Amino acid sequence: MARIIDPGRLSVRLVLERPVDVPDGQGGVTRSFSALASLWARIEPVVAKADEAAGAVPVTVTHRIWLRWRDDLVGGMRLRKGARLFAIRAFRDPDEAGRYVLCDCEEIKS
């Protein structure tokens, strides 16, 4: 059974952004992001994973982010909290009741 949270615990203000692809004139596209909505959420850090690459140790931080139910989420969207960016990797309705969306996110560098 999925863990459900009290709606009062959605205490972080985030901006939901959608990708916008603009042709670059050479057959490719330039991707930018456009704000879609401002919403309340709960952010739960899950794990930090370090991978060694070329002598550096980049760290990937993953989070679970709870939102009120939305039916307009699609792949490629991200969430923003100030300068912090969270790429939405997967999302689901944790109890199939249409109350919340639970997003599995990866914090990315801007």
Side-chain angles (χ1 to χ4, degrees):
M1 179 172 198
R3 183 183 69 162
I4 301 302
I5 63 171
D6 174 2
R9 297 189 71 190
L10 302 176
S11 59
V12 176
R13 197 70 167 160
L14 299 178
V15 175
L16 177 64
E17 298 180 335
R18 66 175 166 223
V20 177
D21 292 337
V22 178
D24 65 5
Q26 298 179 4
V29 295
T30 301
R31 176 164 283 178
S32 62
F33 286 85
S34 172
L36 179 63
S38 180
L39 41 86
W40 291 102
R42 174 169 172 78
I43 301 175
E44 298 174 352
V46 177
V47 69
K49 181 178 90 172
D51 294 316
E52 186 172 351
V57 183
V59 176
T60 302
V61 179
T62 59
H63 297 76
R64 282 189 201 103
I65 299 180
W66 292 79
L67 309 172
R68 288 192 185 275
W69 173 253
R70 301 186 64 91
D71 60 2
D72 60 349
L73 292 179
V74 295
M77 289 182 154
R78 69 184 188 187
L79 295 160
R80 175 183 293 276
K81 180 184 180 212
R84 295 174 69 190
L85 297 172
F86 302 93
I88 300 173
R89 301 298 185 210
F91 53 90
R92 62 194 174 281
D93 182 347
D95 64 354
E96 298 186 8
R99 295 182 293 177
Y100 299 101
V101 175
L102 180 56
C103 301
D104 295 321
C105 298
E106 180 180 329
E107 188 166 1
I108 55 176
K109 304 294 180 203
S110 56

